[in-house]
Amino acid sequence: MGIRSPLSRKTLARITLRVAGVVLLSAGFSYLYAVSALQAQAKQELQKYITERGQRESSRFQLAQSNLALLQQRFLIELKQPVSPNLDIEFNQVFLPWNDRTLRNFPQKRSIQGFDTLRYPTASVGRTEQGGKTPITAELQHRAMTAYKLVGSYGAAWTKQFADLYYVSPENVNINYWRGIPLALTSPSELYQPKEEYFYVADPVHNPSRSNAWTGVYLDPSVNIWMVSAILPVYQGDRFLGILGHDIVLTDLLEKTLNDRQLGTTNMLFRADGRLVAHPDRMKEIQAAQGQLAIERIADPHLQRIFQQVKNAPEVTHVIDNSQDHEFIAVTQLKGPDWYFVTIYPKSLLAGSAWTTAQFVLVSGLSALIIEIFLIAAVLRQQIATPLQQLTEASQQWASGNFEIQLDASRPDELGDLAGAFNSMASQLKTSFDQLENVNAALADRVAELQKTVCMLHQTQAQVVQSEKMSALGNLVAGIAHEINNPLSFLNGSIKHAQDYIQDLLNHLGLYQKHYPIAGAVIQNHAEDIDLEFLIEDLPKLLGSMTGATDRLKGISLSLRNFSRADAEYKVSANLQEGLDSTLLILKYRLQAHDHRPEIKVLRDYGELPPIACFPGQLNQVFMNILANAIDALEESHQTLSLTEVQSHPPQIKIRTRVKDNRVQIIIADNGAGIPEDLKERIFDHLFTTKDVGKGTGLGLAIAQQIIVEKHSGAIGVTSEVSKGTEFIIELPV
């Protein structure tokens, strides 16, 4: 520091010792205060957190109970309605006998996969507890049909929130709506459901209060998912009619319990009887025990202490100070299944934060002490060393191009004059550099605009070239169709007259043969030479074949004109399927078999499409590009296949049309080599192509996308899988 006086050194040492003592005391008091404040804050935040979690996690269970109460009320109202006079017929139409002495709502000989679980519940009348047939009474029929209709209606409405909805009667009748799972059709014939937990937890013996009941956690064998069931008994007066139930999938709840937690804390779930539902370290044990793992049977004193303190807590939602294990236990009771949601908050988290605060106070104090010592020493050299050092640093900054530094020029001495001269020079240099940067920025903007303009010109030029090519092709095809159509019209009209003339001649010849049956030798010989009988028989057939040929040529001419039709300034109503057929006719020669591959089969799956307002010629151009690309892909993929592979994987193009969500869909799919994933996102880019040089321009799909999206407010997409094929989906508004 440049301080050589012993008195100065002693003074600095004494100041250092005293300030260091104050800093250490402040750090100690800060640590104690921080621990106390953080504990109070942590308990308050835990109370808020556990309250919100309890409300959020209880909502699904409360909704299940509300649904079942609503369905119970509706069920009892429907049972009071008059019984249908055709009840027996209706029941027998739904419940069909199976060979295992059960009744189920699907024919036994048909494949269960054909059952529509989206529209109907599955239903069964199981066997008695002794294995015999269940007696069917009129009252049971009425109750079963009522439950069948209600479970089907409400189950479809509630399927998004709950796995299923069901009714089970004491007579072993089961009505279950579970989308995608035909449960009542696949259940074992020996299953007697009144003995299952989801039934007996709500029967009069186990639930005399007739309140909502809940099963334990279980792994459903039908879908291999952890669930819990909400059960509500149904009584008509004092008569027990059965139970209504929801199965609730616990996947999200278990995952949120274990993973959605505060940093450093642990969440768990357990029932009021001590059975664990979710624990971050014991999920495998819980699953192995089928949800029956009790805390009391686990050799974990810490977990047992948590369970006892939670059970002894005076409030439903509470934060417990577990001083023995140095932690806070936040607990809330979930409404419905009587579960406890528990969060363990180690106090070590608070100690770490408090120690961090104390460290900050200590480091800040020591830093302040060091700064004070250096400030005292700096006063001795402030007048000379600091200004010169500032001038040196400013010179280095200006040399590197930083002109923002301004020196203090207020000193009334030579150093002040020098600082003023440096500031003036820096200002002039900064002005010059700013002007140069402005010129460079303007030049860069101009270059960017020119590049953008050039890119737009290239794109416009390519689109014009492609449009001119399609226009020339359309004019050529239209001219050919017109030239073909004129002689065809003549031939088609002339053949009809020729048929009439020849028929008149044949009739006239028949009159001669009838009135002059004995012809002269010359006439007889000539008739044999020309085979007159065969000629009379075959000539009308020949004329009919000529008529069919001209009709076919007229159809081809019409298809060519449809394809080449010019678009007007405004959209016109057109049939898209006619455009597809016309395009396929143009490409027919490319679909035929040749030396390198067999014929490409075109499968048409046309739906009922309404005419839509569009530019038909432009849409034909889109169809032409996509179909031509599909043919190219099939030819390229079959060049590498063996004869056996070609025979087992014949080339084909499938075209489907349909109306979906008020939009027309045209789907064109091939079974070629497909498009790699890294190229699929670029196929609509301008000038991008995967074909060899000279075989593709990269314009077809880019223009197709422009026509569909910009001209018709539609959408075009592609899905592809390597070695499987490619599918283009075009959507147009109706």
Side-chain angles (χ1 to χ4, degrees):
M1 299 180 194
I3 300 176
R4 299 183 178 181
S5 171
L7 180 59
S8 299
R9 288 199 299 270
K10 290 181 181 179
T11 302
L12 288 174
R14 290 174 181 175
I15 292 175
T16 301
L17 290 174
R18 285 177 172 80
V19 175
V22 173
V23 169
L24 291 174
L25 288 175
S26 299
F29 283 118
S30 298
Y31 175 78
L32 296 177
Y33 174 78
V35 168
S36 176
L38 289 173
Q39 285 188 353
Q41 181 182 358
K43 292 181 69 174
Q44 184 178 3
E45 292 178 352
L46 276 175
Q47 181 73 28
K48 179 181 179 182
Y49 168 78
I50 202 68
T51 301
E52 292 176 352
R53 285 298 295 265
Q55 294 172 351
R56 186 166 70 244
E57 307 303 348
S58 297
S59 60
R60 177 70 66 86
F61 303 123
Q62 291 176 298
L63 179 60
Q65 294 183 162
S66 176
N67 287 349
L68 296 180
L70 174 64
L71 183 57
Q72 178 198 52
Q73 182 181 10
R74 184 64 182 173
F75 185 49
L76 293 175
I77 292 175
E78 292 296 326
L79 287 179
K80 294 179 181 179
Q81 301 302 315
V83 178
S84 171
N86 300 320
L87 176 63
D88 187 63
I89 297 175
E90 295 174 358
F91 181 84
N92 291 328
Q93 287 176 343
V94 174
F95 292 89
L96 307 176
W98 283 31
N99 294 336
D100 56 5
R101 298 192 299 279
T102 65
L103 302 178
R104 312 196 189 213
N105 65 327
F106 199 68
Q108 184 176 10
K109 294 182 180 180
R110 289 180 58 186
S111 173
I112 296 178
Q113 295 179 351
F115 187 84
D116 188 357
T117 59
L118 179 65
R119 298 177 56 190
Y120 305 105
T122 56
S124 68
V125 178
R127 300 191 304 211
T128 64
E129 187 174 5
Q130 292 76 26
K133 289 185 179 180
T134 298
I136 305 300
T137 64
E139 188 277 333
L140 181 59
Q141 289 179 339
H142 180 49
R143 189 162 18 111
M145 292 301 296
T146 301
Y148 181 78
K149 296 175 183 177
L150 292 177
V151 169
S153 300
Y154 285 86
W158 295 335
T159 188
K160 290 185 178 180
Q161 291 87 7
F162 301 98
D164 63 348
L165 177 70
Y166 51 87
Y167 165 78
V168 181
S169 76
E171 298 88 354
N172 203 17
V173 175
N174 177 27
I175 313 293
N176 182 286
Y177 182 92
W178 192 336
R179 181 175 295 182
I181 307 296
L183 190 63
L185 303 181
T186 58
S187 60
S189 60
E190 63 273 10
L191 176 63
Y192 186 67
Q193 302 195 72
K195 292 295 184 180
E196 299 297 323
E197 181 186 13
Y198 54 79
F199 188 92
Y200 68 69
V201 295
D203 66 16
V205 176
H206 299 88
N207 186 16
S209 64
R210 305 182 182 182
S211 59
N212 287 284
W214 293 82
T215 67
V217 177
Y218 61 91
L219 183 66
D220 192 294
S222 302
V223 290
N224 198 30
I225 295 177
W226 285 94
M227 294 195 292
V228 66
S229 299
I231 308 299
L232 181 65
V234 181
Y235 284 85
Q236 194 174 45
D238 291 331
R239 185 185 176 196
F240 178 56
L241 302 182
I243 60 101
L244 297 172
H246 263 319
D247 288 339
I248 302 174
V249 177
L250 298 178
T251 305
D252 291 341
L253 175 60
L254 297 179
E255 182 177 351
K256 288 180 180 179
T257 300
L258 301 179
N259 300 326
D260 185 7
R261 56 188 178 84
Q262 295 181 335
L263 184 63
T265 65
T266 300
N267 291 342
M268 65 181 71
L269 276 173
F270 53 77
R271 289 167 48 117
D273 59 5
R275 281 185 282 179
L276 272 177
V277 177
H279 190 284
D281 300 325
R282 300 187 179 275
M283 290 308 298
K284 291 184 178 179
E285 298 178 56
I286 295 173
Q287 294 175 3
Q290 290 292 314
Q292 303 298 317
L293 183 63
I295 295 177
E296 296 177 351
R297 297 202 300 266
I298 302 174
D300 188 343
H302 177 219
L303 187 58
Q304 293 178 358
R305 285 194 296 272
I306 292 174
F307 175 64
Q308 290 301 324
Q309 294 198 45
V310 168
K311 290 291 290 182
N312 297 332
E315 301 177 25
V316 174
T317 302
H318 191 62
V319 178
I320 304 169
D321 187 353
N322 183 13
S323 57
Q324 183 176 354
D325 296 304
H326 305 287
E327 63 191 12
F328 290 121
I329 303 174
V331 57
T332 186
Q333 192 169 13
L334 302 185
K335 297 179 180 179
D338 198 22
W339 293 355
Y340 289 101
F341 185 96
V342 177
T343 296
I344 307 301
Y345 189 103
K347 292 183 179 179
S348 58
L349 299 176
L350 303 176
S353 300
W355 174 238
T356 301
T357 303
Q359 282 182 317
F360 175 77
V361 173
L362 180 61
V363 172
S364 300
L366 293 176
S367 300
L369 173 61
I370 295 173
I371 291 172
E372 290 176 3
I373 294 172
F374 275 92
L375 287 176
I376 294 173
V379 172
L380 301 177
R381 36 185 252 179
Q382 180 179 7
Q383 297 299 318
I384 303 298
T386 300
L388 290 177
Q389 184 179 1
Q390 291 175 347
L391 286 172
T392 302
E393 293 177 352
S395 299
Q396 294 174 350
Q397 292 291 330
W398 293 338
S400 63
N402 183 8
F403 303 103
E404 300 296 332
I405 296 179
Q406 293 290 317
L407 297 177
D408 185 9
S410 61
R411 294 183 53 149
D413 52 21
E414 292 79 359
L415 292 176
D417 295 339
L418 182 60
F422 267 93
N423 290 341
S424 177
M425 181 178 63
S427 178
Q428 294 176 2
L429 289 174
K430 184 177 184 299
T431 301
S432 299
F433 275 98
D434 288 343
Q435 292 176 351
L436 183 59
E437 288 180 355
N438 291 335
V439 172
N440 288 337
L443 182 60
D445 293 339
R446 182 59 178 166
V447 170
E449 291 179 1
L450 290 175
Q451 290 177 341
K452 183 177 179 181
T453 302
V454 170
C455 181
M456 292 177 62
L457 286 175
H458 282 306
Q459 184 175 0
T460 302
Q461 180 185 17
Q463 292 174 354
V464 169
V465 170
Q466 184 71 5
S467 298
E468 288 299 323
K469 288 170 62 178
M470 292 303 298
S471 177
L473 175 61
N475 291 333
L476 176 61
V477 172
I480 293 172
H482 180 73
E483 292 302 324
I484 292 175
N485 193 55
N486 287 335
L488 279 179
S489 299
F490 169 74
L491 288 174
N492 195 44
S494 299
I495 288 174
K496 181 64 173 66
H497 292 299
Q499 285 177 322
D500 295 337
Y501 296 158
I502 291 172
Q503 188 61 46
D504 291 340
L505 290 174
L506 292 177
N507 292 336
H508 188 69
L509 179 59
L511 290 175
Y512 268 102
Q513 291 176 338
K514 178 179 179 181
H515 293 285
Y516 298 97
I518 302 175
V522 176
I523 296 175
Q524 186 67 34
N525 292 334
H526 184 265
E528 292 177 358
D529 291 339
I530 64 174
D531 196 356
L532 181 61
E533 292 184 1
F534 174 76
L535 187 148
I536 293 173
E537 178 183 357
D538 191 56
L539 185 56
K541 296 181 181 178
L542 177 60
L543 291 173
S545 299
M546 293 172 65
T547 302
T550 57
D551 290 341
R552 176 166 175 78
L553 287 174
K554 285 182 64 179
I556 294 174
S557 175
L558 179 61
S559 296
L560 291 174
R561 282 184 291 162
N562 287 338
F563 175 79
S564 61
R565 62 191 295 180
D567 287 330
E569 183 179 356
Y570 303 100
K571 294 180 178 180
V572 297
S573 181
N575 188 325
L576 297 185
Q577 293 172 167
E578 290 182 356
L580 285 167
D581 291 338
S582 299
T583 306
L584 289 171
L585 180 63
I586 299 298
L587 295 172
K588 185 175 182 180
Y589 74 99
R590 296 199 58 194
L591 299 171
Q592 296 172 352
H594 53 68
D595 296 340
H596 301 292
R597 62 157 174 78
E599 178 188 1
I600 298 176
K601 297 292 185 181
V602 177
L603 307 178
R604 293 178 175 88
D605 182 10
Y606 289 168
E608 292 291 335
L609 296 187
I612 68 170
C614 62
F615 298 105
Q618 296 183 13
L619 291 181
N620 289 343
Q621 180 181 352
V622 173
F623 300 152
M624 172 70 77
N625 285 328
I626 295 177
L627 289 169
N629 285 342
I631 295 172
D632 291 340
L634 290 170
E635 289 185 342
E636 181 180 349
S637 64
H638 277 74
Q639 289 177 359
T640 60
L641 298 179
S642 64
L643 178 60
T644 303
E645 291 174 328
V646 170
Q647 292 175 346
S648 62
H649 189 70
Q652 69 177 26
I653 296 174
K654 185 173 184 179
I655 304 175
R656 290 180 289 151
T657 63
R658 61 184 178 182
V659 177
K660 182 179 181 182
D661 299 332
N662 205 29
R663 291 171 74 88
V664 170
Q665 282 191 346
I666 302 98
I667 304 169
I668 302 175
D670 65 72
N671 60 346
I675 304 173
E677 193 67 27
D678 57 336
L679 300 181
K680 188 167 63 176
E681 299 296 329
R682 301 178 58 195
I683 63 172
F684 293 109
D685 291 349
H686 181 68
L687 298 179
F688 174 77
T689 180
T690 59
K691 299 179 181 178
D692 296 335
V693 177
K695 294 185 177 180
T697 63
L699 298 175
L701 290 180
I703 293 175
Q705 186 184 49
Q706 183 182 19
I707 291 172
I708 295 299
V709 177
E710 298 180 10
K711 298 292 186 179
H712 293 84
S713 301
I716 181 171
V718 61
T719 60
S720 183
E721 185 176 352
V722 176
S723 75
K724 297 294 185 180
T726 304
E727 181 179 83
F728 283 87
I729 302 175
I730 300 171
E731 292 188 351
L732 297 170
V734 175

